Amino acid sequence: MNQEYTRSEAAALLAALRQIFSEVHVADAASGAILNDQADKPAGGYCQVPALDGEGRGWLPMGGQNMAMTLYRAVTVEHRACLIVLSLRLPNTLPAENREANALRRQIAQYHEEMNRDYMTGAYNRRYLAEVWQPAMAGRTPCAVLVRVNEYAAVCAEHGRDAGDNCLNAAAGILQRAVGADPARGILVRLEDGMFLLTADASAADLTARLRQALDDSRHVFSISLSRRAEFTVAIAAADWAEAGSWDLMLALAEQRLADA
């Protein structure tokens, strides 16, 4: 069961925890909105809300410039469901002989990278797009190219999810060649079902030309089973930043063009 606190008790608890942890917050359990220490008013900002166990506990390793382990505990403050959020940051500079801390840093960095990837194709996911790529493109004019693998839904329905995954894997390998290996210049993102997004700091015409060249130079073959092969086709639609002026409008424009294709 969740521990229950009055507002004054919650504030005293947070003050005590700040003597131990790098950052301490109380957040709304549903939205993740950061609250003041009395848990009755927004304090600005949001935190990620993880899956909690049966006792109301959870954790997330956080990456980036400063590695941290963040712990979560479900509590109730004056009948409001909340989370106590505790972050313990590793120092930026660790002694070379501190093997345990360095090993933890490497593991957290690997976990953070995996959290940004689609588990099946290895392409980036929406989280990386929103939290890393889009902020990095501030002040620049990227493009959006949407690609639909036309056979994906039918392959899943007729031959099962494994065959559909093979189809998307084959497509992702070709699409990745179009954006290149430098994530600072362009990335491949898997969206829902058989959809991919290619976005780069380039014009839509240039990225589309690279994409078509990669498709022309590759075999569109995937495995249905050990003995059966099939081919896939794609539909392509693109939009430029100059046409829309924002991410949401640019993606909506590309989606509309793909629907009309």
Side-chain angles (χ1 to χ4, degrees):
M1 295 180 60
N2 294 352
Q3 183 69 46
E4 296 186 5
Y5 295 95
T6 64
R7 292 195 177 104
S8 60
E9 288 172 341
L13 173 64
L14 296 177
L17 290 171
R18 288 189 178 110
Q19 299 180 46
I20 303 171
F21 292 89
S22 305
E23 292 184 15
V24 177
H25 302 289
V26 61
D28 181 79
S31 67
I34 302 297
L35 306 173
N36 64 359
D37 285 4
Q38 289 74 36
D40 59 347
K41 295 179 181 178
Y46 289 82
C47 71
Q48 189 173 353
V49 179
L52 304 179
D53 64 18
E55 295 183 349
R57 296 184 174 91
W59 66 278
L60 284 174
M62 305 302 292
Q65 231 175 359
N66 296 308
M67 297 292 179
M69 185 70 69
T70 303
L71 308 177
Y72 300 80
R73 180 67 166 97
V75 298
T76 301
V77 181
E78 298 283 355
H79 309 295
R80 180 174 188 170
C82 297
L83 292 172
I84 300 294
V85 184
L86 312 169
S87 294
L88 185 62
R89 296 188 178 276
L90 292 176
N92 289 330
T93 303
L94 294 170
E97 65 273 11
N98 194 333
R99 293 182 298 173
E100 291 82 2
N102 281 317
L104 178 60
R105 182 183 289 276
R106 288 193 299 271
Q107 291 170 358
I108 292 176
Q110 180 179 351
Y111 179 87
H112 190 67
E113 174 67 13
E114 290 175 354
M115 289 291 288
N116 289 328
R117 297 279 186 175
D118 171 52
Y119 72 96
M120 193 264 297
T121 64
Y124 286 110
N125 55 27
R126 283 189 179 273
R127 173 179 174 171
Y128 184 87
L129 178 69
E131 296 182 3
V132 179
W133 174 260
Q134 291 180 359
M137 290 293 106
R140 300 159 81 174
T141 56
C143 67
V145 179
L146 289 177
V147 177
R148 181 182 64 233
V149 179
N150 296 319
E151 289 74 15
Y152 176 71
V155 168
C156 288
E158 184 175 355
H159 302 288
R161 183 68 64 177
D162 287 345
D165 289 350
N166 290 340
C167 181
L168 286 194
N169 267 319
I174 298 172
L175 303 182
Q176 186 63 60
R177 289 199 284 274
V179 295
D182 184 359
R185 300 183 64 182
I187 61 170
L188 173 67
V189 181
R190 185 190 172 188
L191 305 179
E192 293 74 25
D193 299 326
M195 295 280 291
F196 290 93
L197 166 68
L198 291 80
T199 178
D201 187 17
S203 69
D206 177 63
L207 183 55
T208 301
R210 283 188 274 149
L211 171 59
R212 294 193 183 279
Q213 186 64 54
L215 289 166
D216 290 343
D217 292 343
S218 306
R219 295 182 63 204
H220 307 171
V221 178
F222 66 95
S223 299
I224 291 179
S225 66
L226 290 176
S227 59
R228 294 186 62 190
R229 302 288 185 272
E231 293 189 5
F232 66 87
T233 62
V234 300
I236 301 170
D240 274 307
W241 183 271
E243 299 179 275
S246 73
W247 277 102
D248 290 343
L249 292 177
M250 183 171 64
L251 290 175
L253 181 57
E255 287 171 355
Q256 181 60 52
R257 289 172 176 169
L258 189 63
D260 295 339

